[in-house]
Amino acid sequence: MVSIFTVDLGTSMTAVALPLLLIRDYGTTVATGLTLAVRLLPSIAVGPIVGRLLARRDPRKIAMISSLVSASFAALIPVCGALWQIQILTLGIGLSAMLAVPARLVLRPAVVGEGDERRGNGLLMAAQRVSTLTGPPLVGLIIAFGRPLWIAFLVEAATSLVASVMMLRVPPLPPASSEQAESMVTKDRRVLRTAYVTSTRALMRVISADAFVRGATLTSFTYLLAVTLGRMMLVVMGAQYYPDISGFYGWMLAAMGVGGLCGSLLIGRFKRSSTGTLYVVVMLIEAVGWLSLPWLPNFSAAIAAMLTIGIMESAGYVLYYAEVQIRIPRTVMGYYYAALIPIGDAFMFLGSVFGAWLAGTSVAAAAIIVACVMGIPMLLTARWYFTPPVIISNITVVCDSAPSAAKEDEPDA
Protein backbone atom coordinates (compact mmCIF):
# COMPACT_ATOMS: atom_id res chain seq x y z
CA MET A 1 0.00 0.00 0.00
CA VAL A 2 2.81 2.41 0.86
CA SER A 3 4.63 1.62 -2.38
CA ILE A 4 1.50 2.20 -4.47
CA PHE A 5 0.60 5.37 -2.57
CA THR A 6 4.04 6.95 -2.88
CA VAL A 7 4.63 6.14 -6.55
CA ASP A 8 1.15 7.36 -7.54
CA LEU A 9 1.61 10.51 -5.45
CA GLY A 10 4.71 11.47 -7.41
CA THR A 11 3.12 10.52 -10.73
CA SER A 12 0.01 12.60 -10.03
CA MET A 13 2.15 15.61 -9.16
CA THR A 14 4.20 15.50 -12.35
CA ALA A 15 1.03 14.86 -14.37
CA VAL A 16 0.09 18.39 -13.33
CA ALA A 17 3.53 20.02 -13.25
CA LEU A 18 4.81 18.80 -16.63
CA PRO A 19 2.03 20.31 -18.82
CA LEU A 20 2.31 23.59 -16.91
CA LEU A 21 6.07 23.64 -17.36
CA LEU A 22 5.91 22.85 -21.07
CA ILE A 23 3.17 25.33 -21.94
CA ARG A 24 4.89 28.03 -19.88
CA ASP A 25 8.26 27.54 -21.58
CA TYR A 26 7.31 26.29 -25.07
CA GLY A 27 3.72 27.40 -25.69
CA THR A 28 0.62 25.50 -26.84
CA THR A 29 2.27 23.83 -29.84
CA VAL A 30 2.11 20.35 -31.33
CA ALA A 31 5.71 19.84 -30.14
CA THR A 32 4.57 20.45 -26.57
CA GLY A 33 1.74 17.96 -26.94
CA LEU A 34 4.15 15.44 -28.45
CA THR A 35 6.36 15.75 -25.38
CA LEU A 36 3.44 14.79 -23.17
CA ALA A 37 2.51 11.93 -25.48
CA VAL A 38 5.85 10.17 -25.97
CA ARG A 39 5.51 8.43 -22.60
CA LEU A 40 2.78 6.30 -24.19
CA LEU A 41 4.95 5.07 -27.07
CA PRO A 42 6.55 2.11 -25.22
CA SER A 43 3.15 0.68 -24.29
CA ILE A 44 1.84 1.15 -27.82
CA ALA A 45 4.89 -0.49 -29.38
CA VAL A 46 5.64 -3.45 -27.12
CA GLY A 47 2.97 -3.46 -24.40
CA PRO A 48 1.59 -6.93 -25.24
CA ILE A 49 4.91 -8.68 -24.47
CA VAL A 50 5.18 -7.37 -20.90
CA GLY A 51 3.08 -10.27 -19.62
CA ARG A 52 5.58 -12.79 -20.92
CA LEU A 53 8.46 -10.86 -19.38
CA LEU A 54 6.75 -10.93 -16.00
CA ALA A 55 6.11 -14.66 -16.34
CA ARG A 56 9.80 -15.53 -16.48
CA ARG A 57 11.28 -12.72 -14.33
CA ASP A 58 10.72 -11.76 -10.72
CA PRO A 59 7.99 -9.07 -10.84
CA ARG A 60 9.23 -7.62 -7.55
CA LYS A 61 12.65 -6.92 -9.06
CA ILE A 62 11.06 -5.46 -12.17
CA ALA A 63 8.93 -3.11 -10.05
CA MET A 64 11.95 -2.03 -7.97
CA ILE A 65 14.28 -1.44 -10.93
CA SER A 66 11.57 0.40 -12.86
CA SER A 67 10.94 2.70 -9.89
CA LEU A 68 14.66 3.51 -9.59
CA VAL A 69 14.93 4.24 -13.31
CA SER A 70 11.83 6.43 -13.20
CA ALA A 71 13.26 8.35 -10.23
CA SER A 72 16.45 9.16 -12.11
CA PHE A 73 14.58 10.33 -15.20
CA ALA A 74 12.20 12.53 -13.20
CA ALA A 75 15.04 14.13 -11.22
CA LEU A 76 16.76 15.20 -14.47
CA ILE A 77 13.76 17.03 -15.97
CA PRO A 78 14.36 20.30 -14.05
CA VAL A 79 17.90 20.65 -15.45
CA CYS A 80 16.85 20.20 -19.10
CA GLY A 81 17.53 23.17 -21.34
CA ALA A 82 15.85 21.94 -24.52
CA LEU A 83 12.53 20.36 -25.44
CA TRP A 84 14.14 17.29 -26.99
CA GLN A 85 15.86 16.51 -23.71
CA ILE A 86 12.54 16.51 -21.86
CA GLN A 87 11.07 14.29 -24.58
CA ILE A 88 13.81 11.68 -24.08
CA LEU A 89 13.33 11.68 -20.31
CA THR A 90 9.55 11.44 -20.69
CA LEU A 91 10.00 8.47 -23.00
CA GLY A 92 12.15 6.82 -20.35
CA ILE A 93 9.50 7.41 -17.69
CA GLY A 94 6.91 5.83 -19.98
CA LEU A 95 9.13 2.79 -20.50
CA SER A 96 9.58 2.30 -16.77
CA ALA A 97 5.84 2.75 -16.12
CA MET A 98 5.04 0.20 -18.81
CA LEU A 99 6.92 -2.36 -16.73
CA ALA A 100 6.19 -1.16 -13.19
CA VAL A 101 2.39 -0.92 -13.39
CA PRO A 102 1.69 -4.52 -14.48
CA ALA A 103 4.46 -5.78 -12.18
CA ARG A 104 2.66 -4.37 -9.15
CA LEU A 105 -0.61 -5.85 -10.38
CA VAL A 106 1.00 -9.28 -10.68
CA LEU A 107 2.34 -8.97 -7.13
CA ARG A 108 -1.08 -8.47 -5.56
CA PRO A 109 -1.68 -12.22 -4.91
CA ALA A 110 1.51 -12.18 -2.83
CA VAL A 111 0.00 -9.75 -0.33
CA VAL A 112 -3.75 -10.41 -0.66
CA GLY A 113 -4.73 -13.80 0.70
CA GLU A 114 -7.27 -16.15 -0.81
CA GLY A 115 -10.77 -15.26 0.35
CA ASP A 116 -9.70 -11.70 1.15
CA GLU A 117 -9.53 -10.46 -2.44
CA ARG A 118 -12.29 -7.86 -2.17
CA ARG A 119 -11.06 -6.20 1.04
CA GLY A 120 -7.40 -6.39 0.06
CA ASN A 121 -7.85 -4.96 -3.41
CA GLY A 122 -10.19 -2.35 -1.96
CA LEU A 123 -7.42 -1.15 0.36
CA LEU A 124 -4.95 -1.00 -2.52
CA MET A 125 -7.44 0.94 -4.63
CA ALA A 126 -8.00 3.33 -1.72
CA ALA A 127 -4.24 3.95 -1.57
CA GLN A 128 -4.28 4.88 -5.26
CA ARG A 129 -7.28 7.17 -4.91
CA VAL A 130 -5.84 9.02 -1.91
CA SER A 131 -2.54 9.62 -3.70
CA THR A 132 -4.18 10.91 -6.87
CA LEU A 133 -6.35 13.21 -4.76
CA THR A 134 -3.33 14.54 -2.85
CA GLY A 135 -0.89 15.15 -5.71
CA PRO A 136 -2.67 17.89 -7.72
CA PRO A 137 -3.43 20.12 -4.69
CA LEU A 138 0.21 19.84 -3.61
CA VAL A 139 1.27 21.26 -6.97
CA GLY A 140 -1.30 24.00 -6.50
CA LEU A 141 0.23 24.84 -3.12
CA ILE A 142 3.72 24.89 -4.62
CA ILE A 143 2.56 27.46 -7.17
CA ALA A 144 0.51 29.43 -4.65
CA PHE A 145 3.52 29.86 -2.35
CA GLY A 146 5.70 30.97 -5.26
CA ARG A 147 7.90 27.89 -5.30
CA PRO A 148 9.42 26.61 -8.57
CA LEU A 149 7.73 23.77 -10.44
CA TRP A 150 10.88 21.63 -10.41
CA ILE A 151 10.08 20.74 -6.79
CA ALA A 152 7.30 18.47 -8.08
CA PHE A 153 9.76 16.46 -10.18
CA LEU A 154 12.11 16.01 -7.24
CA VAL A 155 9.16 14.79 -5.18
CA GLU A 156 8.42 12.16 -7.84
CA ALA A 157 12.05 11.04 -7.72
CA ALA A 158 11.87 10.75 -3.92
CA THR A 159 8.57 8.88 -3.93
CA SER A 160 9.89 6.44 -6.56
CA LEU A 161 12.83 5.66 -4.28
CA VAL A 162 10.48 5.06 -1.34
CA ALA A 163 8.29 2.83 -3.52
CA SER A 164 11.32 0.78 -4.54
CA VAL A 165 12.49 0.31 -0.94
CA MET A 166 9.03 -0.74 0.23
CA MET A 167 8.95 -3.50 -2.37
CA LEU A 168 11.64 -5.27 -0.33
CA ARG A 169 8.95 -6.09 2.23
CA VAL A 170 6.70 -7.74 -0.36
CA PRO A 171 7.10 -11.55 -0.32
CA PRO A 172 8.28 -13.04 -3.62
CA LEU A 173 5.93 -15.11 -5.74
CA PRO A 174 6.87 -18.74 -6.46
CA PRO A 175 9.10 -18.73 -9.58
CA ALA A 176 8.29 -20.73 -12.68
CA SER A 177 10.08 -24.04 -13.06
CA SER A 178 13.37 -23.98 -14.92
CA GLU A 179 11.91 -26.26 -17.58
CA GLN A 180 9.01 -23.89 -18.18
CA ALA A 181 11.28 -20.84 -18.24
CA GLU A 182 13.66 -22.50 -20.69
CA SER A 183 10.74 -23.50 -22.90
CA MET A 184 9.52 -19.91 -22.96
CA VAL A 185 12.95 -18.56 -23.84
CA THR A 186 13.56 -20.98 -26.68
CA LYS A 187 10.10 -20.68 -28.20
CA ASP A 188 9.72 -16.90 -28.04
CA ARG A 189 11.81 -16.10 -31.10
CA ARG A 190 8.83 -14.32 -32.60
CA VAL A 191 7.31 -13.25 -29.30
CA LEU A 192 6.24 -9.77 -30.40
CA ARG A 193 4.41 -10.99 -33.48
CA THR A 194 2.84 -13.91 -31.63
CA ALA A 195 1.69 -11.69 -28.75
CA TYR A 196 0.03 -9.22 -31.08
CA VAL A 197 -1.62 -11.91 -33.20
CA THR A 198 -2.99 -13.84 -30.22
CA SER A 199 -4.22 -10.82 -28.29
CA THR A 200 -5.73 -9.11 -31.34
CA ARG A 201 -7.51 -12.28 -32.39
CA ALA A 202 -8.98 -12.70 -28.92
CA LEU A 203 -10.12 -9.06 -28.87
CA MET A 204 -11.84 -9.41 -32.24
CA ARG A 205 -13.55 -12.68 -31.27
CA VAL A 206 -14.84 -11.23 -27.99
CA ILE A 207 -16.25 -8.03 -29.44
CA SER A 208 -17.86 -9.91 -32.32
CA ALA A 209 -19.62 -12.25 -29.88
CA ASP A 210 -20.96 -9.82 -27.26
CA ALA A 211 -22.67 -6.56 -28.22
CA PHE A 212 -22.16 -4.83 -24.85
CA VAL A 213 -18.43 -5.56 -24.85
CA ARG A 214 -18.24 -4.48 -28.49
CA GLY A 215 -19.85 -1.13 -27.76
CA ALA A 216 -17.89 -0.54 -24.55
CA THR A 217 -14.61 -1.47 -26.24
CA LEU A 218 -15.05 0.73 -29.30
CA THR A 219 -16.29 3.72 -27.31
CA SER A 220 -13.47 3.32 -24.78
CA PHE A 221 -11.01 4.39 -27.47
CA THR A 222 -12.90 7.56 -28.37
CA TYR A 223 -13.53 8.18 -24.67
CA LEU A 224 -9.79 8.13 -23.88
CA LEU A 225 -9.17 10.49 -26.79
CA ALA A 226 -11.84 12.88 -25.50
CA VAL A 227 -10.61 12.85 -21.88
CA THR A 228 -7.02 13.49 -22.97
CA LEU A 229 -8.14 16.40 -25.13
CA GLY A 230 -10.20 17.66 -22.21
CA ARG A 231 -7.27 17.63 -19.81
CA MET A 232 -5.15 19.61 -22.23
CA MET A 233 -8.05 22.02 -22.52
CA LEU A 234 -8.00 22.51 -18.73
CA VAL A 235 -4.34 23.54 -18.84
CA VAL A 236 -5.07 26.22 -21.43
CA MET A 237 -8.21 27.32 -19.59
CA GLY A 238 -6.15 27.99 -16.49
CA ALA A 239 -3.94 30.41 -18.41
CA GLN A 240 -6.69 32.11 -20.44
CA TYR A 241 -9.83 32.01 -18.27
CA TYR A 242 -8.50 31.84 -14.70
CA PRO A 243 -5.04 33.47 -14.64
CA ASP A 244 -5.64 34.70 -11.09
CA ILE A 245 -6.22 31.14 -9.76
CA SER A 246 -2.88 29.62 -8.78
CA GLY A 247 -2.65 25.98 -9.79
CA PHE A 248 -6.02 25.94 -11.59
CA TYR A 249 -5.19 22.70 -13.43
CA GLY A 250 -4.24 20.97 -10.21
CA TRP A 251 -7.44 22.01 -8.47
CA MET A 252 -9.51 20.79 -11.43
CA LEU A 253 -7.87 17.35 -11.34
CA ALA A 254 -8.30 17.22 -7.57
CA ALA A 255 -12.03 17.94 -7.91
CA MET A 256 -12.24 15.25 -10.57
CA GLY A 257 -10.48 12.84 -8.23
CA VAL A 258 -12.86 13.56 -5.35
CA GLY A 259 -15.77 12.97 -7.71
CA GLY A 260 -14.17 9.73 -8.86
CA LEU A 261 -13.91 8.46 -5.30
CA CYS A 262 -17.57 9.33 -4.70
CA GLY A 263 -18.69 7.78 -7.99
CA SER A 264 -16.96 4.47 -7.31
CA LEU A 265 -18.75 4.23 -3.96
CA LEU A 266 -22.17 5.46 -5.10
CA ILE A 267 -22.61 3.38 -8.26
CA GLY A 268 -22.84 0.17 -6.24
CA ARG A 269 -26.07 1.39 -4.67
CA PHE A 270 -27.92 1.25 -8.00
CA LYS A 271 -28.25 -2.54 -7.92
CA ARG A 272 -31.72 -2.68 -9.44
CA SER A 273 -31.05 -0.28 -12.31
CA SER A 274 -30.21 -1.49 -15.80
CA THR A 275 -26.48 -1.48 -16.43
CA GLY A 276 -27.05 -0.36 -20.00
CA THR A 277 -29.18 2.60 -18.94
CA LEU A 278 -26.70 3.68 -16.28
CA TYR A 279 -23.75 3.31 -18.65
CA VAL A 280 -25.28 5.46 -21.37
CA VAL A 281 -26.56 8.10 -18.93
CA VAL A 282 -23.30 8.60 -17.03
CA MET A 283 -21.29 8.88 -20.25
CA LEU A 284 -23.66 11.46 -21.73
CA ILE A 285 -23.72 13.51 -18.51
CA GLU A 286 -19.93 13.54 -18.51
CA ALA A 287 -19.91 14.74 -22.12
CA VAL A 288 -22.25 17.61 -21.19
CA GLY A 289 -19.99 18.44 -18.25
CA TRP A 290 -16.94 18.85 -20.49
CA LEU A 291 -19.01 20.91 -22.93
CA SER A 292 -20.10 23.35 -20.21
CA LEU A 293 -16.64 24.26 -18.88
CA PRO A 294 -15.80 27.28 -21.11
CA TRP A 295 -19.18 28.93 -20.41
CA LEU A 296 -19.28 28.62 -16.61
CA PRO A 297 -19.44 31.91 -14.68
CA ASN A 298 -16.74 31.35 -12.05
CA PHE A 299 -14.17 29.06 -10.47
CA SER A 300 -16.66 27.51 -8.05
CA ALA A 301 -18.89 26.44 -10.93
CA ALA A 302 -15.88 24.91 -12.68
CA ILE A 303 -15.04 22.94 -9.53
CA ALA A 304 -18.62 21.68 -9.36
CA ALA A 305 -18.53 20.65 -13.02
CA MET A 306 -15.27 18.72 -12.55
CA LEU A 307 -16.68 17.04 -9.46
CA THR A 308 -19.64 15.86 -11.54
CA ILE A 309 -17.35 14.76 -14.36
CA GLY A 310 -15.30 12.73 -11.87
CA ILE A 311 -18.39 11.02 -10.48
CA MET A 312 -19.58 10.06 -13.96
CA GLU A 313 -16.11 8.92 -15.09
CA SER A 314 -15.60 6.61 -12.13
CA ALA A 315 -19.14 5.23 -12.33
CA GLY A 316 -18.63 4.45 -16.01
CA TYR A 317 -15.38 2.62 -15.33
CA VAL A 318 -16.97 0.54 -12.55
CA LEU A 319 -19.84 -0.48 -14.82
CA TYR A 320 -17.45 -1.28 -17.67
CA TYR A 321 -15.09 -3.45 -15.61
CA ALA A 322 -18.00 -5.23 -13.91
CA GLU A 323 -19.58 -6.18 -17.23
CA VAL A 324 -16.24 -7.29 -18.67
CA GLN A 325 -15.78 -9.56 -15.64
CA ILE A 326 -19.29 -10.98 -16.10
CA ARG A 327 -19.16 -11.45 -19.87
CA ILE A 328 -15.55 -12.45 -20.61
CA PRO A 329 -14.05 -15.70 -19.27
CA ARG A 330 -11.19 -15.24 -16.88
CA THR A 331 -8.80 -17.18 -19.10
CA VAL A 332 -9.58 -14.84 -22.01
CA MET A 333 -9.46 -11.58 -20.07
CA GLY A 334 -5.67 -11.25 -20.18
CA TYR A 335 -5.61 -11.48 -23.96
CA TYR A 336 -8.43 -8.95 -24.18
CA TYR A 337 -6.65 -6.33 -22.04
CA ALA A 338 -3.30 -7.00 -23.73
CA ALA A 339 -4.80 -5.82 -27.02
CA LEU A 340 -7.06 -3.16 -25.51
CA ILE A 341 -4.50 -1.14 -23.52
CA PRO A 342 -2.02 -0.38 -26.34
CA ILE A 343 -4.85 0.76 -28.64
CA GLY A 344 -6.22 2.97 -25.89
CA ASP A 345 -2.76 4.41 -25.32
CA ALA A 346 -2.56 5.21 -29.02
CA PHE A 347 -5.73 7.31 -28.77
CA MET A 348 -4.37 9.03 -25.67
CA PHE A 349 -1.21 9.74 -27.65
CA LEU A 350 -3.25 11.54 -30.29
CA GLY A 351 -5.09 13.53 -27.64
CA SER A 352 -1.86 14.59 -25.97
CA VAL A 353 -0.23 15.62 -29.25
CA PHE A 354 -3.08 17.76 -30.54
CA GLY A 355 -4.88 18.73 -27.33
CA ALA A 356 -2.73 21.70 -26.35
CA TRP A 357 -2.72 23.04 -29.93
CA LEU A 358 -6.48 22.61 -30.28
CA ALA A 359 -7.28 24.32 -26.97
CA GLY A 360 -4.75 27.05 -27.71
CA THR A 361 -6.61 27.79 -30.94
CA SER A 362 -10.05 27.93 -29.28
CA VAL A 363 -11.09 26.60 -25.88
CA ALA A 364 -14.76 26.72 -26.85
CA ALA A 365 -14.15 24.70 -30.01
CA ALA A 366 -12.09 22.22 -28.01
CA ALA A 367 -14.96 21.74 -25.55
CA ILE A 368 -17.40 21.07 -28.37
CA ILE A 369 -15.05 18.54 -29.95
CA VAL A 370 -14.49 16.78 -26.61
CA ALA A 371 -18.24 16.48 -26.03
CA CYS A 372 -18.87 15.19 -29.56
CA VAL A 373 -16.04 12.65 -29.49
CA MET A 374 -17.33 11.36 -26.15
CA GLY A 375 -21.09 11.57 -26.67
CA ILE A 376 -21.80 10.75 -30.33
CA PRO A 377 -20.23 7.23 -30.28
CA MET A 378 -22.26 6.46 -27.15
CA LEU A 379 -25.49 7.47 -28.88
CA LEU A 380 -24.63 5.45 -31.98
CA THR A 381 -23.97 2.29 -29.96
CA ALA A 382 -26.63 2.81 -27.25
CA ARG A 383 -28.79 -0.18 -28.19
CA TRP A 384 -25.85 -2.58 -27.76
CA TYR A 385 -25.72 -1.95 -24.00
CA PHE A 386 -29.11 -3.56 -23.40
CA THR A 387 -28.19 -7.02 -24.71
CA PRO A 388 -27.90 -9.96 -22.27
CA PRO A 389 -24.50 -11.62 -21.76
CA VAL A 390 -23.40 -14.11 -24.40
CA ILE A 391 -21.54 -17.27 -23.41
CA ILE A 392 -18.04 -16.85 -24.83
CA SER A 393 -16.18 -20.14 -25.06
CA ASN A 394 -12.58 -20.29 -23.89
CA ILE A 395 -11.82 -22.71 -26.71
CA THR A 396 -13.32 -20.43 -29.33
CA VAL A 397 -11.25 -17.43 -28.33
CA VAL A 398 -7.96 -18.80 -27.04
CA CYS A 399 -7.38 -22.38 -28.06
CA ASP A 400 -8.39 -21.68 -31.64
CA SER A 401 -5.35 -19.39 -31.95
CA ALA A 402 -2.93 -21.73 -30.18
CA PRO A 403 -2.00 -23.97 -33.15
CA SER A 404 -1.01 -21.07 -35.38
CA ALA A 405 0.94 -19.43 -32.56
CA ALA A 406 2.71 -22.67 -31.74
CA LYS A 407 3.56 -23.19 -35.38
CA GLU A 408 5.09 -19.73 -35.62
CA ASP A 409 7.10 -20.39 -32.45
CA GLU A 410 8.76 -23.56 -33.77
CA PRO A 411 12.48 -23.05 -34.40
CA ASP A 412 13.60 -23.09 -37.97
CA ALA A 413 15.02 -26.34 -39.27
Side-chain angles (χ1 to χ4, degrees):
M1 286 181 66
V2 175
S3 177
I4 289 175
F5 170 79
T6 52
V7 75
D8 284 352
L9 176 64
T11 301
S12 64
M13 291 184 68
T14 54
V16 177
L18 185 58
L20 296 176
L21 176 70
L22 291 172
I23 290 178
R24 183 195 67 187
D25 295 343
Y26 301 100
T28 56
T29 63
V30 173
T32 298
L34 180 62
T35 305
L36 297 172
V38 292
R39 64 183 176 84
L40 299 171
L41 288 178
S43 175
I44 296 171
V46 294
I49 70 170
V50 173
R52 296 194 177 200
L53 177 64
L54 293 172
R56 61 175 185 260
R57 296 288 187 272
D58 184 357
R60 188 175 61 163
K61 291 182 179 179
I62 292 177
M64 292 174 61
I65 294 173
S66 299
S67 294
L68 292 173
V69 172
S70 179
S72 62
F73 287 143
L76 291 173
I77 288 179
V79 301
C80 291
L83 187 60
W84 66 268
Q85 296 172 340
I86 300 178
Q87 290 172 342
I88 291 177
L89 293 176
T90 304
L91 180 65
I93 292 174
L95 180 62
S96 63
M98 180 192 73
L99 298 170
V101 172
R104 288 190 175 87
L105 291 173
V106 171
L107 282 169
R108 291 193 176 199
V111 297
V112 178
E114 185 176 353
D116 198 30
E117 293 87 356
R118 181 175 298 178
R119 188 185 69 90
N121 281 279
L123 291 173
L124 296 175
M125 176 61 71
Q128 290 179 299
R129 290 294 186 181
V130 172
S131 62
T132 54
L133 291 177
T134 308
L138 286 178
V139 178
L141 291 175
I142 290 173
I143 297 173
F145 284 102
R147 304 301 180 184
L149 276 175
W150 55 260
I151 292 178
F153 300 102
L154 295 185
V155 171
E156 180 178 7
T159 56
S160 295
L161 291 174
V162 173
S164 180
V165 172
M166 292 307 299
M167 295 305 294
L168 293 172
R169 299 186 59 84
V170 177
L173 290 174
S177 65
S178 58
E179 179 181 355
Q180 180 182 359
E182 179 65 23
S183 175
M184 294 181 71
V185 171
T186 56
K187 291 185 178 181
D188 281 355
R189 298 180 61 186
R190 302 178 182 177
V191 62
L192 184 61
R193 178 183 174 187
T194 302
Y196 269 108
V197 168
T198 304
S199 298
T200 303
R201 183 175 298 177
L203 175 68
M204 297 304 296
R205 294 287 178 86
V206 168
I207 65 176
S208 65
D210 192 290
F212 188 105
V213 176
R214 177 165 64 250
T217 300
L218 296 178
T219 56
S220 71
F221 303 142
T222 55
Y223 176 83
L224 289 173
L225 173 61
V227 170
T228 309
L229 290 172
R231 293 196 174 197
M232 292 289 91
M233 182 185 73
L234 290 175
V235 178
V236 179
M237 278 186 63
Q240 295 184 3
Y241 287 56
Y242 301 93
D244 56 329
I245 304 295
S246 298
F248 172 83
Y249 181 57
W251 294 116
M252 291 296 100
L253 291 189
M256 191 175 180
V258 172
L261 183 59
C262 295
S264 62
L265 298 175
L266 292 174
I267 194 64
R269 296 181 177 273
F270 294 87
K271 296 180 180 180
R272 296 184 179 180
S273 301
S274 165
T275 300
T277 301
L278 288 175
Y279 193 69
V280 173
V281 168
V282 298
M283 291 292 103
L284 293 180
I285 292 176
E286 184 178 350
V288 173
W290 285 107
L291 178 63
S292 69
L293 285 172
W295 290 276
L296 296 176
N298 51 47
F299 177 66
S300 298
I303 287 286
M306 290 307 299
L307 184 69
T308 303
I309 288 172
I311 293 173
M312 298 302 116
E313 179 193 43
S314 185
Y317 272 122
V318 171
L319 293 169
Y320 168 73
Y321 287 126
E323 284 300 309
V324 166
Q325 185 173 343
I326 292 170
R327 294 168 181 262
I328 300 180
R330 188 173 181 179
T331 52
V332 179
M333 205 172 295
Y335 294 100
Y336 171 79
Y337 283 124
L340 181 78
I341 293 175
I343 300 174
D345 286 345
F347 278 85
M348 292 174 64
F349 178 88
L350 293 175
S352 297
V353 170
F354 296 105
W357 168 81
L358 177 63
T361 303
S362 172
V363 172
I368 294 172
I369 292 175
V370 169
C372 290
V373 172
M374 186 178 295
I376 291 177
M378 287 299 303
L379 291 174
L380 293 177
T381 59
R383 62 185 180 87
W384 291 347
Y385 306 112
F386 299 93
T387 59
V390 175
I391 298 177
I392 301 175
S393 171
N394 298 344
I395 297 176
T396 301
V397 178
V398 179
C399 297
D400 187 43
S401 63
S404 59
K407 183 178 181 180
E408 289 180 353
D409 284 340
E410 290 180 358
D412 297 333

